[in-house]
Amino acid sequence: MTATTTETPAATAAGSERAFVDFEGVSLAYDDSGNAIEDISLSIRDGEFVAIVGPSGCGKSTFMKLCTGLHGPTQGSVRVAGEPVTGPLKISGMAFQNANLLPWRTTLDNVLLPLEIVRPYRSQFRKRRAEFVGWARELLRTVGLEGYEDQFPWQLSGGMQQRASICRALIHQPKLLMLDEPFAALDAFTREELWCVLRDLWQAQRFTVVLVTHDLREAAFLADTVYVMSKRPGRIVERREIDLPRPRELETTYREPFTSLVLELRAQIGEIRGGAA
Amino acid sequence: MKATTKERLAPWLAVIALLAIWEGTVRALNVPPFLFPGALATFEAMITFAGPISMHSWQTLWTTVVGFGLGVAVGLVLGFIIGSSRFMYRACYPLLVGFNAIPKVAFVPILVVWFGIGSVPAILTAFLICFFPIVVNVATGLATLEPELEDVLRVLGAKRLDVLLKVGLPRSLPYFFASLKVAITLAFVGTVVSETVASNQGIGYLMMSAGSQMRMPLVFAGLIVISAMAMVMYELFAVLEKRMTRWAHRGQDR
Ligand SMILES: Nc1ncnc2c1ncn2[C@@H]1O[C@H](COP(=O)(O)OP(=O)(O)O)[C@@H](O)[C@H]1O
Ligand SMILES: [Mg+2]
């Protein structure tokens, strides 16, 4: 106790609650067609798993760009890890609906690509290559791609490509993983398999995740907190904590209380759509 | 006979059939050889004039290859410049299209005035006619980048040059190698056209002078030699293309 008593109880409380990602009144207009997203305030704790749902074109991808510093806000402020975001945040890794692997690189080399680019690894790449390859192999193993390291992306199924894409997003050990509808193009079985892959990765490494999705079951199964966005201009219209116990198993998604939770979310979104239309 | 062997023999059968029809028609209609020689007369001419033909072929071949080499070098550099920035792409593309619309034969008289007759106009015509497809293909390959992939890389702090080297350049390679096949055939066209009007060497010149002396079998022999050379070079670059960019032909020849 003595070592930490310099902090007042209030500061301690604030400290544990201190936001890792902090949006304050953020709006963004790409051009003069008006705001794409409007007045978004939210904070994401370190290690929190956040899901964002909302209709197409409501600004979910825009939110991602603001979070990672790929785009600056027109109004308001974005802070990550206490610092205002001024440019691309290399502590983040991204994956999208389309795996976008490079067809001329093997799976392993695709996963290694970020290390050839991001500081400080890029300057050490030649010297530490063996070590980096070890990281990549380990990561591929944990997502179930052991033995596919030397295959080319076009030799992999869609689900396997997506696994590799997530490995590529994680290879530089980012603190922030941004997933933009990563499972949207997969069949239902593969999708649920990948939910579990992501769940286990997150459980083991505890990076902060922002997952954009259309799938309410996906959001509720994986996330700590679900945010619901309105139609354009996108605003946060609902924040929902999912306090289901962890670790969560797939079977629970077919049982109470999970099903009624999803139904409630669905009803809320129905209201938004009905109200806004 | 197995289907694959049949397929492999098919082009040769087509050639033989064509030669037979050619010879047959000329004989049947009794066309005089100084107007339209048959396949046999052409073949005879090829043997009789083997010496001069190979000398002139060599001239055509090396001027074409030099012009083509220039075209590749300039095409790569221009393609890289144009493909690496949206601004340059916008700025230069209309100019290039306009330039490409000029019949390159129109340059030959200018080149003759500047360089006299001989190898130089032939090389330059080959160059002028063949660099365009290379520029366009390299630029297109470089300029196409999925916005999402761009985000993945930019967030890591990738600079424009990183993206060009890691993604743009490898991606443009299949386009580049595909354009080489087109470019080498065009280069032959350029050389021969230039030789017919502005040279005293090369297959183009040989055909022109033989034609003016009504030695049609020799003209046709030249025609066949030039098409054979172009075909061999085309195949060479087709094989090279397959070798270098196997990933772009996934599934086709596995
Ligand atoms: N680069 C851009 N320039 C102009 N408008 C854009 C751009 N990116 C997105 N938008 C617009 O902003 C809105 C939100 O887009 P986006 O964030 O991609 O939505 P979502 O990912 O939720 O489908 C859309 O109306 C879209 O047309
Ligand atoms: Mg989107």
Side-chain angles (χ1 to χ4, degrees):
Chain A
M1 265 313 261
T2 46
T4 54
T5 42
T6 43
E7 288 188 344
T8 64
T12 316
S16 67
E17 279 297 300
R18 187 184 293 144
F20 179 61
V21 178
D22 192 20
F23 275 58
E24 258 181 54
V26 174
S27 301
L28 179 101
Y30 282 106
D31 40 42
D32 43 20
S33 67
N35 284 339
I37 65 172
E38 201 163 84
D39 194 26
I40 288 196
S41 296
L42 57 79
S43 53
I44 301 172
R45 293 186 312 274
D46 196 2
E48 186 174 354
F49 198 129
V50 165
I52 296 185
V53 297
S56 285
C58 73
K60 303 183 294 296
S61 301
T62 304
F63 178 82
M64 295 291 209
K65 290 200 180 180
L66 287 162
C67 250
T68 49
L70 288 171
H71 219 293
T74 319
Q75 257 175 34
S77 79
V78 179
R79 299 168 77 86
V80 173
E83 301 285 321
V85 174
T86 50
L89 263 191
K90 63 181 190 203
I91 59 157
S92 42
M94 305 181 92
F96 293 85
Q97 173 172 344
N98 195 331
N100 272 320
L101 301 172
L102 304 178
W104 55 89
R105 284 176 170 244
T106 61
T107 307
L108 185 73
D109 285 334
N110 265 292
V111 173
L112 286 172
L113 177 67
L115 299 180
E116 295 172 26
I117 290 173
V118 76
R119 266 171 238 280
Y121 302 116
R122 67 179 295 158
S123 55
Q124 311 162 350
F125 193 79
R126 291 245 173 82
K127 231 186 313 159
R128 295 175 64 188
R129 189 164 206 281
E131 187 186 347
F132 292 167
V133 167
W135 296 357
R137 283 186 186 278
E138 174 60 21
L139 203 52
L140 285 166
R141 194 184 59 75
T142 54
V143 302
L145 281 183
E146 195 172 23
Y148 293 94
E149 293 90 345
D150 298 323
Q151 303 265 309
F152 287 90
W154 36 275
Q155 296 170 312
L156 305 182
S157 70
M160 287 153 102
Q161 290 186 24
Q162 205 50 262
R163 286 170 206 247
S165 168
I166 291 173
C167 289
R168 181 178 65 186
L170 288 174
I171 187 71
H172 64 298
Q173 296 164 339
K175 292 190 59 66
L176 188 57
L177 177 63
M178 310 296 289
L179 301 171
D180 195 341
E181 304 183 28
F183 311 131
L186 304 175
D187 66 84
F189 286 108
T190 312
R191 189 181 311 149
E192 293 186 355
E193 263 171 44
L194 282 183
W195 291 356
C196 295
V197 166
L198 179 57
R199 175 197 62 190
D200 296 342
L201 278 171
W202 177 74
Q203 212 94 47
Q205 302 185 19
R206 285 303 178 135
F207 35 77
T208 307
V209 185
V210 177
L211 168 73
V212 165
T213 176
H214 283 297
D215 186 338
L216 295 177
R217 283 181 63 234
E218 178 173 310
F221 175 65
L222 288 166
D224 295 317
T225 316
V226 176
Y227 289 93
V228 180
M229 283 177 79
S230 68
K231 290 209 300 197
R232 183 177 176 164
R235 298 160 168 273
I236 302 285
V237 290
E238 174 73 28
R239 173 178 193 275
R240 180 87 193 215
E241 302 226 1
I242 311 290
D243 42 18
L244 299 171
R246 293 192 187 266
R248 300 172 188 163
E249 295 303 326
L250 258 185
E251 293 76 53
T252 64
T253 65
Y254 295 99
R255 280 193 238 117
E256 293 296 338
F258 189 92
T259 41
S260 42
L261 180 86
V262 171
L263 273 177
E264 268 173 56
L265 271 174
R266 191 167 184 285
Q268 278 166 344
I269 287 177
E271 259 169 52
I272 296 159
R273 292 172 58 99
Chain B
M1 207 186 284
K2 274 201 301 190
T4 47
T5 11
K6 231 176 176 173
E7 265 185 32
R8 200 167 306 146
L9 288 178
W12 298 107
L13 290 177
V15 168
I16 291 168
L18 183 69
L19 290 177
I21 292 171
W22 177 11
E23 183 66 29
T25 319
V26 169
R27 279 179 190 237
L29 300 180
N30 220 352
V31 187
F34 61 86
L35 281 183
F36 191 179
L40 278 178
T42 303
F43 188 65
E44 262 174 33
M46 231 186 257
I47 294 185
T48 320
F49 299 101
I53 287 179
S54 52
M55 186 195 89
H56 289 293
S57 306
W58 169 243
Q59 167 74 18
T60 300
L61 184 64
W62 80 257
T63 45
T64 303
V65 168
V66 172
F68 171 75
L70 273 177
V72 171
V74 172
L76 267 178
V77 171
L78 265 183
F80 195 83
I81 292 172
I82 291 173
S84 58
S85 112
R86 275 179 73 88
F87 178 78
M88 291 302 284
Y89 197 84
R90 285 283 167 87
C92 299
Y93 205 84
L95 276 182
L96 275 173
V97 172
F99 173 80
N100 191 47
I102 306 173
K104 302 304 171 302
V105 199
F107 283 108
V108 177
I110 303 174
L111 294 174
V112 171
V113 172
W114 288 349
F115 302 104
I117 65 166
S119 307
V120 179
I123 291 172
L124 290 180
T125 315
F127 157 68
L128 285 175
I129 207 168
C130 85
F131 84 95
F132 182 77
I134 300 175
V135 175
V136 172
N137 276 279
V138 171
T140 313
L142 279 177
T144 44
L145 174 64
E146 299 87 344
E148 296 181 340
L149 184 58
E150 193 178 355
D151 283 355
V152 167
L153 299 174
R154 263 184 55 213
V155 84
L156 298 169
K159 298 278 172 287
R160 185 92 205 130
L161 192 64
D162 288 324
V163 177
L164 279 177
L165 292 180
K166 302 278 181 204
V167 182
L169 214 55
R171 161 146 325 145
S172 66
L173 278 186
Y175 293 87
F176 170 66
F177 283 107
S179 70
L180 292 186
K181 290 186 304 190
V182 180
I184 188 71
T185 23
L186 286 176
F188 271 109
V189 174
T191 311
V192 172
V193 162
S194 170
E195 282 168 356
T196 54
V197 291
S199 183
N200 42 26
Q201 284 177 87
I203 289 285
Y205 164 76
L206 177 77
M207 286 166 66
M208 199 63 183
S209 58
S212 64
Q213 298 160 22
M214 291 301 239
R215 288 153 74 178
M216 284 309 253
L218 185 52
V219 177
F220 273 73
L223 211 59
I224 285 178
V225 168
I226 186 80
S227 69
M229 283 198 294
M231 216 159 67
V232 167
M233 293 305 266
Y234 181 95
E235 275 306 316
L236 201 74
F237 285 104
V239 169
L240 189 69
E241 182 193 1
K242 275 224 171 108
R243 279 280 166 81
M244 299 302 290
T245 57
R246 197 154 287 184
W247 59 267
H249 302 275
R250 62 198 102 158
Q252 284 172 23
D253 47 16
R254 250 191 306 145

